[in-house]
Amino acid sequence: KQEVTQIPAALSVPEGENLVLNCSFTDSAIYNLQWFRQDPGKGLTSLLLIQSSQREQTSGRLNASLDKSSGRSTLYIAASQPGDSATYLCALTDSWGKFQFGAGTQVVVTP
Amino acid sequence: KAGVTQTPRYLIKTRGQQVTLSCSPISGHRSVSWYQQTPGQGLQFLFEYFSETQRNKGNFPGRFSGRQFSNSRSEMNVSTLELGDSALYLCASSLSGSNQPQHFGDGTRLSIL
């Protein structure tokens, strides 16, 4: 059974610092991995989608890497801003198309 | 382009009742997925519909059901409500399924008294 873990559960950094968020999984037979952010009381916003054949994806200040052999994905956010404060979740898709989410990392960026 | 719309935003029901939640996907999207989010269990996958057919199902009891219409709009029904069904119910749409970015609505907050 796939286990998806996000550590730490919460993180506070001063504005301008780089953020490093981790997602680990136990079964490497994944179809793809997505990173999302969720603001309080809102739905999820897709940030990056990495297919299983890819190693990384980049969008602006965001970069996500995927290492299936070690069961890890990392989301980097460069030069963090207060607007980056949110909960970040990773989600795996198995070959059947079913999603499994991590519990998320709550990020606070202080001015 | 309008986003994913979920109605209603808030709902209060009592145990034993049933409820129907609605999700209108982004125009052109044919895949709609439903999720339950609770503080204790996090985000859990309920089911996915594509072209009016249920394509995937999570590990929820049969009290949870759904359907999709020809215009891709989807409804989720929960019968015989239990206190533990209190949650934020989210739906997401995509062009064709899990190999595409998922676009989420803001959810329906269901409270069971």
Side-chain angles (χ1 to χ4, degrees), chain B residues 29 70 75:
Chain B
H29 285 192
S70 58
E75 288 183 347

Side-chain angles (χ1 to χ4, degrees), chain A residues 1 31-32 34 36 38 41-46 49 51 89 93-94 96-103, chain B residues 9 33 35 37 43 45 48 55-59 88 90 98-107 109:
Chain A
K1 182 178 180 285
Y31 188 55
N32 61 41
Q34 293 192 53
F36 296 88
Q38 185 175 29
K42 296 287 189 179
L44 280 66
T45 301
S46 179
L49 167 65
Q51 302 292 351
L89 299 103
T93 309
D94 65 21
W96 299 100
K98 290 187 181 181
F99 284 88
Q100 188 159 347
F101 282 81
Chain B
R9 285 297 315 276
S33 299
Y35 302 84
Q37 187 174 31
L43 257 165
F45 172 71
E48 182 211 0
R55 189 160 64 173
N56 267 305
K57 190 177 188 305
N59 298 321
L88 179 66
L90 294 163
S98 58
N99 62 338
Q100 301 279 337
Q102 303 294 302
H103 299 265
F104 280 77
D106 284 340
R109 173 77 61 185

Side-chain angles (χ1 to χ4, degrees), chain B residues 70-84:
Chain B
S70 58
N71 62 357
S72 293
R73 190 177 71 85
S74 178
E75 288 183 347
M76 189 189 87
N77 185 76
V78 188
S79 63
T80 320
L81 287 165
E82 300 176 359
L83 292 177

Side-chain angles (χ1 to χ4, degrees), chain B:
Chain B
K1 199 174 188 181
V4 177
T5 303
Q6 291 188 246
T7 56
R9 285 297 315 276
Y10 303 93
L11 208 46
I12 299 175
K13 292 286 187 179
T14 57
R15 282 185 300 172
Q17 287 187 309
Q18 76 164 19
V19 67
T20 299
L21 312 181
S22 178
C23 174
S24 293
I26 290 172
S27 178
H29 285 192
R30 296 169 64 191
S31 169
V32 174
S33 299
W34 288 89
Y35 302 84
Q36 181 195 67
Q37 187 174 31
T38 59
Q41 298 296 319
L43 257 165
Q44 292 185 285
F45 172 71
L46 280 156
F47 28 66
E48 182 211 0
Y49 284 86
F50 180 81
S51 292
E52 302 179 65
T53 301
Q54 187 181 87
R55 189 160 64 173
N56 267 305
K57 190 177 188 305
N59 298 321
F60 278 80
R63 299 186 298 107
F64 291 82
S65 63
R67 60 179 176 168
Q68 187 180 34
F69 302 95
S70 58
N71 62 357
S72 293
R73 190 177 71 85
S74 178
E75 288 183 347
M76 189 189 87
N77 185 76
V78 188
S79 63
T80 320
L81 287 165
E82 300 176 359
L83 292 177
D85 297 333
S86 294
L88 179 66
Y89 290 89
L90 294 163
C91 86
S93 75
S94 66
L95 283 168
S96 58
S98 58
N99 62 338
Q100 301 279 337
Q102 303 294 302
H103 299 265
F104 280 77
D106 284 340
T108 294
R109 173 77 61 185
L110 175 63
S111 298
I112 311 301
L113 303 179

